[in-house]
Amino acid sequence: MNPGAQPTDNPAAQPLRSDAERNRARIIAAGRTVLGRDGLNASMASVAREAGVGIATILRHFPTKEDLVAAVFLDRMDAYADAVAVALDDPDPWHGFTGYIEAACAMQAADYGFADVLTTTFPTAKALEQRRNEAYEAMVQLINRAKATGRLREDFDPSDLVLIHMANAGVVNACGDAAPDAWRRVVALLIQSFEAPARGPLPASPEHDALYKAMLRASPAGSTASEPGKSS
């Protein structure tokens, strides 16, 4: 037996592990409160104050703000992807499509941080981006099904969903508590504009690269983050 080796069930080591787990959970809970209230512009210091820990403790668990955002909002992204799945299960594709838009915009209105997350990309947050990509692929199916019914205008593009979230995030952040339900009117106006027959042609949709750069610019890492490989 090696006298220098420490048993795995050493009681002296256990409190450190437990403390670390508690601190991590406390930080994530504080992040949900602060980022949900103030959006992604909230500082790491404000999260530390809410959690009752030092900034060094946060940085040990989450070396970058993007790491913290990913941990805080992964469950929200799961719920977002689930909303698309529910919409695809709707026997009425148009109802499923409009119901999804209303549900996703309601998620933004309920959480300022998530309002920003849906219009931001996080290249290093693999799990978060994987769920976003899964939701996107399902949304393409949803759009195609709604078009096949003749209810959704033919020139609606998947990139329009990003623009919808950008527009809704702007309304949510601008109105705040002063007019908390204003987003509902905006979303209703948008949905009515999507229905066929179209009243007129639309301008060209943004190029994929341009829209990606806009979302990347809004991330905590800003334009310094490298662009990952894009799929068609």
Side-chain angles (χ1 to χ4, degrees), residues 100-134:
Y100 153 72
I101 291 177
E102 291 169 347
C105 289
M107 290 180 192
Q108 287 186 294
D111 189 317
Y112 288 4
F114 194 61
D116 293 338
V117 166
L118 285 185
T119 64
T120 307
T121 192
F122 305 92
T124 65
K126 302 304 182 185
L128 191 72
E129 290 304 301
Q130 180 180 343
R131 289 298 276 156
R132 186 204 301 275
N133 290 337
E134 291 170 358

Side-chain angles (χ1 to χ4, degrees), residues 33-223:
T33 297
V34 174
L35 298 176
R37 180 188 66 220
D38 302 333
L40 298 191
N41 288 329
S43 68
M44 295 279 270
S46 62
V47 175
R49 285 193 297 271
E50 179 72 22
V53 300
I55 191 70
T57 300
I58 286 191
L59 294 177
R60 277 197 298 274
H61 291 276
F62 305 103
T64 70
K65 189 174 181 181
E66 189 164 302
D67 294 328
L68 176 62
V69 169
V72 167
F73 289 108
L74 181 58
D75 64 334
R76 304 293 196 275
M77 191 63 77
D78 285 341
Y80 175 73
D82 289 344
V84 185
V86 169
L88 276 174
D89 286 340
D90 194 312
D92 181 342
W94 172 252
H95 182 265
F97 172 75
T98 59
Y100 153 72
I101 291 177
E102 291 169 347
C105 289
M107 290 180 192
Q108 287 186 294
D111 189 317
Y112 288 4
F114 194 61
D116 293 338
V117 166
L118 285 185
T119 64
T120 307
T121 192
F122 305 92
T124 65
K126 302 304 182 185
L128 191 72
E129 290 304 301
Q130 180 180 343
R131 289 298 276 156
R132 186 204 301 275
N133 290 337
E134 291 170 358
Y136 177 83
E137 294 301 326
M139 286 187 293
V140 172
Q141 296 179 48
L142 188 62
I143 290 168
N144 291 337
R145 290 180 65 223
K147 284 183 178 180
T149 68
R151 295 289 302 277
L152 178 62
R153 57 187 299 158
E154 279 298 321
D155 55 357
F156 187 92
D157 187 85
S159 65
D160 292 328
L161 290 169
V162 179
L163 298 180
I164 291 167
H165 290 320
M166 288 180 170
N168 191 53
V171 171
V172 167
N173 288 317
C175 292
D177 294 337
D181 291 329
W183 68 273
R184 297 183 185 278
R185 183 174 178 87
V186 173
V187 170
L189 289 168
L190 290 172
I191 287 175
Q192 290 181 33
S193 74
F194 302 152
E195 192 167 7
R199 297 292 296 272
L202 293 171
S205 60
E207 294 291 334
H208 172 90
D209 286 353
L211 202 54
Y212 179 86
K213 287 177 182 176
M215 294 176 69
L216 183 62
R217 186 171 57 189
S219 73
S223 59

Side-chain angles (χ1 to χ4, degrees), residues 5-54:
Q6 196 169 26
T8 56
D9 60 348
N10 186 340
Q14 187 61 37
L16 293 178
R17 291 198 296 270
S18 297
D19 287 348
E21 291 170 1
R22 283 195 294 271
N23 282 339
R24 188 177 191 278
R26 188 181 303 156
I27 292 165
I28 291 175
R32 285 175 177 157
T33 297
V34 174
L35 298 176
R37 180 188 66 220
D38 302 333
L40 298 191
N41 288 329
S43 68
M44 295 279 270
S46 62
V47 175
R49 285 193 297 271
E50 179 72 22
V53 300

